[in-house]
Amino acid sequence: MFSLRTADLRKLNSLTKYPSIPTHHRLDPKNGGLVEEPAVFTGTVLGTEKVDGTNGRVVLLPDGTWLIGSREDLLTASGDVIHNPALGIVDALRPVADRAAGERDAITVLYLEVYGGKQLPAWRQYGSGEPALRLFDTVTIGPDLLAWDLAKISAWRQDGGQPFAGEPALREAARAFGVELTPRLFEIDGGGLPAGIAGMRAFMESYRVTRVATSGEPGANEGIVLRTPDRAVITKARFQDYDRTLKRRAAGR
């Protein structure tokens, strides 16, 4: 039977880390700029706002306990008196963890963007410093995978082994756990996405203003996340990547 007290926290951390999302146009490793090689989407593409905050995760465990982590590290567990205050993640996510706690058959992980708090660089884009959160992914993982060694878990995760929920199940998770999703911006056919870098940047401009401001005049978001409804393909299009690439092109003329 699973128990947090006896679990290997290094394995739990690796098992539940969020993977890196590739850029929609491939990054050139030599200079960090984008190249004219976009990801190929067939069928429906769902565009969601890429909120400019920090990744947090709530790890709900079979024995009814929970962990809260940043993208890389576990920051606290249920019952801890002291926690790591990094970027306000624990303070923002503890109410979600407490509300969602309960015995279950598997490990459920909620991935949420924590944004708007004054500990975060882009907080002024969202209001006067009130921290907020939005759910952007969730995954359910069998605890039997903790029997693997750390290297195998890491390789499984990096190879895309985590079975992320598709859009219908993600919407249901948001409802069940009482959290809101990152804004859904559009649904289009994959053929409707501009192929070129300049065209993609122009397409993105219509979605520049955030839809999750907590107060005041909404500022700029970080970009767009593009995904298929089943999440088999997912990419990110960040304004800074496109602007930097186009600026370099203009300077080189």
Side-chain angles (χ1 to χ4, degrees):
M1 181 177 292
F2 179 91
S3 172
L4 176 58
R5 291 182 178 273
T6 58
D8 187 325
L9 293 182
R10 295 176 305 161
K11 291 183 179 182
L12 266 173
N13 187 39
S14 184
L15 194 72
T16 61
K17 280 184 180 181
Y18 193 71
S20 178
I21 298 176
T23 55
H24 183 63
H25 282 84
R26 185 174 64 83
L27 277 176
D28 185 339
K30 295 180 180 179
N31 60 25
L34 300 172
V35 297
E36 296 283 359
E37 295 180 22
V40 176
F41 283 88
T42 57
T44 301
V45 178
L46 175 64
T48 67
E49 180 175 333
K50 193 172 192 313
V51 182
D52 197 347
T54 186
N55 284 5
R57 53 185 152 139
V58 174
V59 183
L60 302 169
L61 299 169
D63 63 355
T65 59
W66 51 255
L67 299 162
I68 292 174
S70 63
R71 182 168 196 157
E72 292 296 325
D73 303 303
L74 298 176
L75 304 177
T76 194
S78 50
D80 283 353
V81 177
I82 299 173
H83 68 264
N84 185 327
L87 302 176
I89 293 172
V90 173
D91 290 339
L93 298 187
R94 189 188 294 273
V96 177
D98 285 338
R99 189 167 64 242
E103 294 186 4
R104 47 187 28 91
D105 294 330
I107 299 167
T108 297
V109 190
L110 308 178
Y111 298 97
L112 304 105
E113 193 75 13
V114 177
Y115 71 96
K118 290 185 177 180
Q119 292 173 285
L120 298 165
W123 68 269
R124 288 183 176 85
Q125 303 297 327
Y126 298 98
S128 57
E130 308 92 338
L133 55 90
R134 289 291 179 120
L135 179 70
F136 61 87
D137 261 317
T138 183
V139 69
T140 299
I141 304 169
D144 54 302
L145 271 62
L146 291 169
W148 293 354
D149 63 40
L150 197 56
K152 184 175 180 179
I153 290 173
S154 178
W156 168 82
R157 185 188 73 248
Q158 292 174 6
D159 289 342
Q162 293 164 311
F164 286 98
E167 182 68 8
L170 182 57
R171 289 178 180 270
E172 174 57 26
R175 186 201 64 76
F177 293 113
V179 292
E180 292 187 77
L181 291 172
T182 50
R184 274 46 195 155
L185 303 177
F186 57 81
E187 285 190 27
I188 61 173
D189 184 82
L193 288 173
I197 290 171
M200 186 64 186
R201 177 59 181 85
F203 172 84
M204 294 166 62
E205 186 61 28
S206 297
Y207 307 101
R208 188 73 172 101
V209 177
T210 182
R211 300 188 183 190
V212 295
T214 58
S215 63
E217 186 71 20
N221 63 42
E222 190 177 4
I224 300 172
V225 176
L226 303 158
R227 64 175 76 197
T228 54
D230 63 358
R231 204 194 176 282
V233 181
I234 184 168
T235 63
K236 62 186 177 185
R238 299 186 302 178
F239 286 103
Q240 66 177 14
D241 292 334
Y242 286 86
D243 290 344
R244 180 172 59 244
T245 298
L246 294 172
K247 183 177 179 180
R248 285 178 177 173
R249 284 186 180 179
R253 290 174 182 167

